[in-house]
Amino acid sequence: PAEPAAPAAPTPATTKTAADASCTDLGACVSSSLQSAWRGDVDALRQTASKIDALPKPDLGNKAQSRKLNTQALEALKAGDPTQAVLLLQAAQKENPRDVEVASNLGFALVKAQRPQEAAKVLGEALLLDPRRTSTWAPLGEALALSGRQADGAAALWAAWQWSGNREKTETAFSERATREQAERPALAQVYQGAHAWVTQGQRPALRNAR
């Protein structure tokens, strides 16, 4: 898929709005989604997802070979080798650019490989394939937060929770990550803490983007 523009910083708003009329390409739609999430506007988030559904998709490729490489990449991640996982998933994505699981896994592996800006780009592109996938929104939130864009990261985590089919599990994951990251990555822990309070108590975090 064509490279999307970097998502704009979400801007707080006092009133709800419909999905951004400028959502005519993926980059604009991702920005609109983040802004809707930051406002807590579920209706606008859903409307933008429908607009993403209508955008052109890449052609199907070799699904079997792509999944074979994806499996090898997951094994590399389990073995603690995110660099090898990235290489395998990049090859898998070339084989079949329509596979959202491969795209999401590539973004996740890039986060693990400490390449958050690349991860944010890949995961933003993955939303073209499925804008309602929690397993894309959650690592996107982490990638944005690790890129110094904490408010964007929290907004993406809020979107991940909205699309989750098991919100209790997602809420628990946010809480656990907030605790686990406290020692080594306190800024990321703050984003997870803020997202957890947001989805459980409706308290939007006081976060700012470092641009």
Short mmCIF file of all heavy atoms in Angstrom, two decimals, residues 124-161:
data_model
loop_
_atom_site.label_atom_id
_atom_site.label_comp_id
_atom_site.label_asym_id
_atom_site.label_seq_id
_atom_site.Cartn_x
_atom_site.Cartn_y
_atom_site.Cartn_z
N GLY A 124 0.31 1.68 10.94
CA GLY A 124 -0.65 2.57 10.31
C GLY A 124 -1.12 2.02 8.97
O GLY A 124 -2.31 2.06 8.65
N GLU A 125 -0.19 1.47 8.20
CA GLU A 125 -0.55 0.85 6.93
C GLU A 125 -1.42 -0.40 7.14
O GLU A 125 -2.30 -0.69 6.33
CB GLU A 125 0.72 0.48 6.16
CG GLU A 125 1.50 1.69 5.67
CD GLU A 125 2.82 1.30 5.02
OE1 GLU A 125 3.27 0.15 5.22
OE2 GLU A 125 3.41 2.16 4.34
N ALA A 126 -1.17 -1.12 8.23
CA ALA A 126 -1.94 -2.33 8.51
C ALA A 126 -3.42 -2.01 8.76
O ALA A 126 -4.28 -2.87 8.53
CB ALA A 126 -1.36 -3.06 9.71
N LEU A 127 -3.72 -0.81 9.21
CA LEU A 127 -5.12 -0.43 9.43
C LEU A 127 -5.90 -0.41 8.13
O LEU A 127 -7.13 -0.54 8.15
CB LEU A 127 -5.19 0.93 10.12
CG LEU A 127 -4.68 0.97 11.56
CD1 LEU A 127 -4.68 2.40 12.07
CD2 LEU A 127 -5.51 0.08 12.46
N LEU A 128 -5.22 -0.26 7.00
CA LEU A 128 -5.91 -0.33 5.71
C LEU A 128 -6.57 -1.69 5.52
O LEU A 128 -7.64 -1.80 4.92
CB LEU A 128 -4.90 -0.09 4.57
CG LEU A 128 -5.42 -0.25 3.14
CD1 LEU A 128 -6.45 0.82 2.82
CD2 LEU A 128 -4.26 -0.20 2.14
N LEU A 129 -5.93 -2.73 6.04
CA LEU A 129 -6.42 -4.10 5.86
C LEU A 129 -7.54 -4.44 6.84
O LEU A 129 -8.40 -5.26 6.53
CB LEU A 129 -5.26 -5.08 6.02
CG LEU A 129 -4.05 -4.81 5.11
CD1 LEU A 129 -2.91 -5.76 5.46
CD2 LEU A 129 -4.43 -4.92 3.65
N ASP A 130 -7.51 -3.83 8.02
CA ASP A 130 -8.56 -4.03 9.02
C ASP A 130 -8.46 -2.92 10.06
O ASP A 130 -7.61 -2.97 10.95
CB ASP A 130 -8.41 -5.39 9.70
CG ASP A 130 -9.56 -5.68 10.67
OD1 ASP A 130 -10.38 -4.77 10.92
OD2 ASP A 130 -9.63 -6.81 11.19
N PRO A 131 -9.32 -1.90 9.95
CA PRO A 131 -9.25 -0.77 10.89
C PRO A 131 -9.85 -1.06 12.25
O PRO A 131 -9.88 -0.18 13.11
CB PRO A 131 -10.04 0.32 10.16
CG PRO A 131 -11.05 -0.43 9.35
CD PRO A 131 -10.34 -1.69 8.91
N ARG A 132 -10.33 -2.28 12.46
CA ARG A 132 -11.00 -2.63 13.73
C ARG A 132 -10.23 -3.70 14.50
O ARG A 132 -10.80 -4.37 15.34
CB ARG A 132 -12.43 -3.13 13.44
CG ARG A 132 -13.29 -2.12 12.71
CD ARG A 132 -14.60 -2.73 12.26
NE ARG A 132 -15.39 -1.81 11.48
CZ ARG A 132 -15.22 -1.58 10.17
NH1 ARG A 132 -14.26 -2.26 9.52
NH2 ARG A 132 -15.97 -0.72 9.53
N ARG A 133 -8.98 -3.84 14.24
CA ARG A 133 -8.19 -4.93 14.83
C ARG A 133 -7.43 -4.44 16.06
O ARG A 133 -6.48 -3.65 15.96
CB ARG A 133 -7.22 -5.47 13.78
CG ARG A 133 -6.38 -6.66 14.22
CD ARG A 133 -5.49 -7.11 13.08
NE ARG A 133 -4.51 -8.09 13.50
CZ ARG A 133 -4.72 -9.40 13.58
NH1 ARG A 133 -5.90 -9.88 13.25
NH2 ARG A 133 -3.76 -10.22 13.96
N THR A 134 -7.81 -4.93 17.22
CA THR A 134 -7.14 -4.55 18.46
C THR A 134 -5.65 -4.89 18.41
O THR A 134 -4.82 -4.13 18.92
CB THR A 134 -7.80 -5.26 19.66
OG1 THR A 134 -9.13 -4.75 19.81
CG2 THR A 134 -7.03 -5.03 20.95
N SER A 135 -5.32 -6.01 17.76
CA SER A 135 -3.92 -6.44 17.69
C SER A 135 -3.08 -5.55 16.78
O SER A 135 -1.86 -5.73 16.72
CB SER A 135 -3.84 -7.90 17.20
OG SER A 135 -4.46 -8.76 18.12
N THR A 136 -3.70 -4.62 16.08
CA THR A 136 -2.96 -3.59 15.35
C THR A 136 -2.92 -2.30 16.16
O THR A 136 -1.88 -1.66 16.29
CB THR A 136 -3.59 -3.33 13.98
OG1 THR A 136 -3.58 -4.54 13.21
CG2 THR A 136 -2.80 -2.26 13.22
N TRP A 137 -4.05 -1.91 16.71
CA TRP A 137 -4.13 -0.65 17.44
C TRP A 137 -3.24 -0.65 18.68
O TRP A 137 -2.61 0.37 19.01
CB TRP A 137 -5.57 -0.35 17.84
CG TRP A 137 -6.39 0.26 16.74
CD1 TRP A 137 -7.36 -0.35 16.01
CD2 TRP A 137 -6.30 1.60 16.27
NE1 TRP A 137 -7.89 0.53 15.10
CE2 TRP A 137 -7.25 1.74 15.23
CE3 TRP A 137 -5.52 2.70 16.60
CZ2 TRP A 137 -7.44 2.93 14.54
CZ3 TRP A 137 -5.70 3.89 15.91
CH2 TRP A 137 -6.65 4.00 14.90
N ALA A 138 -3.18 -1.77 19.41
CA ALA A 138 -2.40 -1.79 20.65
C ALA A 138 -0.90 -1.60 20.40
O ALA A 138 -0.28 -0.72 21.02
CB ALA A 138 -2.67 -3.08 21.43
N PRO A 139 -0.27 -2.37 19.49
CA PRO A 139 1.15 -2.10 19.23
C PRO A 139 1.39 -0.75 18.57
O PRO A 139 2.44 -0.14 18.76
CB PRO A 139 1.59 -3.26 18.33
CG PRO A 139 0.34 -3.82 17.76
CD PRO A 139 -0.73 -3.59 18.79
N LEU A 140 0.38 -0.25 17.81
CA LEU A 140 0.52 1.10 17.26
C LEU A 140 0.60 2.11 18.41
O LEU A 140 1.41 3.04 18.37
CB LEU A 140 -0.66 1.42 16.34
CG LEU A 140 -0.70 2.86 15.80
CD1 LEU A 140 0.56 3.19 15.00
CD2 LEU A 140 -1.94 3.07 14.94
N GLY A 141 -0.24 1.92 19.43
CA GLY A 141 -0.18 2.81 20.58
C GLY A 141 1.18 2.81 21.24
O GLY A 141 1.73 3.86 21.59
N GLU A 142 1.76 1.63 21.38
CA GLU A 142 3.09 1.53 21.98
C GLU A 142 4.15 2.17 21.09
O GLU A 142 5.03 2.88 21.58
CB GLU A 142 3.42 0.06 22.25
CG GLU A 142 4.70 -0.12 23.03
CD GLU A 142 4.80 -1.49 23.68
OE1 GLU A 142 3.76 -2.03 24.09
OE2 GLU A 142 5.94 -1.99 23.80
N ALA A 143 4.06 1.92 19.78
CA ALA A 143 5.04 2.49 18.86
C ALA A 143 4.99 4.02 18.88
O ALA A 143 6.03 4.69 18.88
CB ALA A 143 4.78 1.98 17.44
N LEU A 144 3.78 4.58 18.90
CA LEU A 144 3.64 6.03 18.95
C LEU A 144 4.18 6.59 20.26
O LEU A 144 4.89 7.61 20.27
CB LEU A 144 2.17 6.43 18.77
CG LEU A 144 1.59 6.17 17.38
CD1 LEU A 144 0.07 6.35 17.40
CD2 LEU A 144 2.21 7.10 16.34
N ALA A 145 3.87 5.93 21.36
CA ALA A 145 4.36 6.39 22.66
C ALA A 145 5.88 6.36 22.72
O ALA A 145 6.52 7.30 23.22
CB ALA A 145 3.78 5.53 23.77
N LEU A 146 6.48 5.29 22.18
CA LEU A 146 7.94 5.17 22.20
C LEU A 146 8.61 6.11 21.22
O LEU A 146 9.81 6.34 21.30
CB LEU A 146 8.33 3.72 21.89
CG LEU A 146 8.00 2.70 22.98
CD1 LEU A 146 8.25 1.28 22.49
CD2 LEU A 146 8.82 2.96 24.25
N SER A 147 7.83 6.67 20.29
CA SER A 147 8.35 7.67 19.36
C SER A 147 8.22 9.08 19.94
O SER A 147 8.48 10.06 19.25
CB SER A 147 7.60 7.59 18.03
OG SER A 147 7.78 6.34 17.41
N GLY A 148 7.82 9.19 21.20
CA GLY A 148 7.67 10.49 21.83
C GLY A 148 6.31 11.11 21.64
O GLY A 148 6.13 12.29 21.92
N ARG A 149 5.35 10.32 21.19
CA ARG A 149 4.01 10.84 20.91
C ARG A 149 3.02 10.16 21.86
O ARG A 149 2.25 9.29 21.51
CB ARG A 149 3.65 10.57 19.45
CG ARG A 149 4.62 11.27 18.48
CD ARG A 149 4.48 10.77 17.07
NE ARG A 149 3.12 10.91 16.57
CZ ARG A 149 2.74 10.45 15.38
NH1 ARG A 149 3.59 9.81 14.61
NH2 ARG A 149 1.50 10.63 14.98
N GLN A 150 3.09 10.58 23.13
CA GLN A 150 2.36 9.90 24.17
C GLN A 150 0.85 10.04 24.03
O GLN A 150 0.11 9.08 24.25
CB GLN A 150 2.81 10.40 25.54
CG GLN A 150 4.23 9.97 25.90
CD GLN A 150 4.58 10.34 27.32
OE1 GLN A 150 4.31 11.44 27.78
NE2 GLN A 150 5.19 9.41 28.03
N ALA A 151 0.38 11.23 23.68
CA ALA A 151 -1.06 11.41 23.54
C ALA A 151 -1.61 10.57 22.39
O ALA A 151 -2.68 9.96 22.49
CB ALA A 151 -1.40 12.89 23.34
N ASP A 152 -0.89 10.53 21.28
CA ASP A 152 -1.27 9.66 20.17
C ASP A 152 -1.29 8.21 20.61
O ASP A 152 -2.19 7.44 20.24
CB ASP A 152 -0.30 9.81 19.00
CG ASP A 152 -0.53 11.08 18.19
OD1 ASP A 152 -1.67 11.54 18.11
OD2 ASP A 152 0.45 11.60 17.64
N GLY A 153 -0.27 7.82 21.41
CA GLY A 153 -0.20 6.45 21.88
C GLY A 153 -1.39 6.08 22.75
O GLY A 153 -1.98 5.01 22.59
N ALA A 154 -1.77 6.98 23.65
CA ALA A 154 -2.92 6.72 24.51
C ALA A 154 -4.20 6.64 23.69
O ALA A 154 -5.07 5.81 23.96
CB ALA A 154 -3.03 7.82 25.57
N ALA A 155 -4.31 7.51 22.68
CA ALA A 155 -5.50 7.48 21.83
C ALA A 155 -5.61 6.14 21.10
O ALA A 155 -6.69 5.57 20.98
CB ALA A 155 -5.45 8.64 20.83
N ALA A 156 -4.47 5.64 20.61
CA ALA A 156 -4.48 4.35 19.91
C ALA A 156 -4.85 3.22 20.85
O ALA A 156 -5.57 2.29 20.47
CB ALA A 156 -3.12 4.09 19.26
N LEU A 157 -4.38 3.28 22.09
CA LEU A 157 -4.74 2.25 23.07
C LEU A 157 -6.24 2.31 23.40
O LEU A 157 -6.88 1.28 23.58
CB LEU A 157 -3.90 2.40 24.34
CG LEU A 157 -2.41 2.07 24.21
CD1 LEU A 157 -1.68 2.37 25.51
CD2 LEU A 157 -2.21 0.61 23.80
N TRP A 158 -6.78 3.51 23.47
CA TRP A 158 -8.23 3.66 23.69
C TRP A 158 -8.99 3.03 22.54
O TRP A 158 -9.99 2.34 22.75
CB TRP A 158 -8.57 5.13 23.85
CG TRP A 158 -10.01 5.42 24.17
CD1 TRP A 158 -10.58 5.52 25.42
CD2 TRP A 158 -11.07 5.67 23.24
NE1 TRP A 158 -11.91 5.81 25.32
CE2 TRP A 158 -12.25 5.91 23.98
CE3 TRP A 158 -11.14 5.72 21.85
CZ2 TRP A 158 -13.48 6.18 23.39
CZ3 TRP A 158 -12.37 5.99 21.26
CH2 TRP A 158 -13.51 6.22 22.02
N ALA A 159 -8.52 3.26 21.31
CA ALA A 159 -9.16 2.65 20.14
C ALA A 159 -9.04 1.13 20.21
O ALA A 159 -9.99 0.40 19.88
CB ALA A 159 -8.53 3.18 18.86
N ALA A 160 -7.87 0.63 20.64
CA ALA A 160 -7.69 -0.82 20.78
C ALA A 160 -8.73 -1.40 21.73
O ALA A 160 -9.30 -2.47 21.47
CB ALA A 160 -6.27 -1.12 21.28
N TRP A 161 -8.98 -0.72 22.82
CA TRP A 161 -9.97 -1.20 23.79
C TRP A 161 -11.38 -1.16 23.21
O TRP A 161 -12.18 -2.07 23.43
CB TRP A 161 -9.89 -0.34 25.06
CG TRP A 161 -10.75 -0.82 26.18
CD1 TRP A 161 -10.46 -1.83 27.06
CD2 TRP A 161 -12.03 -0.33 26.54
NE1 TRP A 161 -11.48 -1.98 27.96
CE2 TRP A 161 -12.47 -1.07 27.67
CE3 TRP A 161 -12.86 0.67 26.04
CZ2 TRP A 161 -13.70 -0.84 28.30
CZ3 TRP A 161 -14.08 0.90 26.66
CH2 TRP A 161 -14.49 0.14 27.77
#
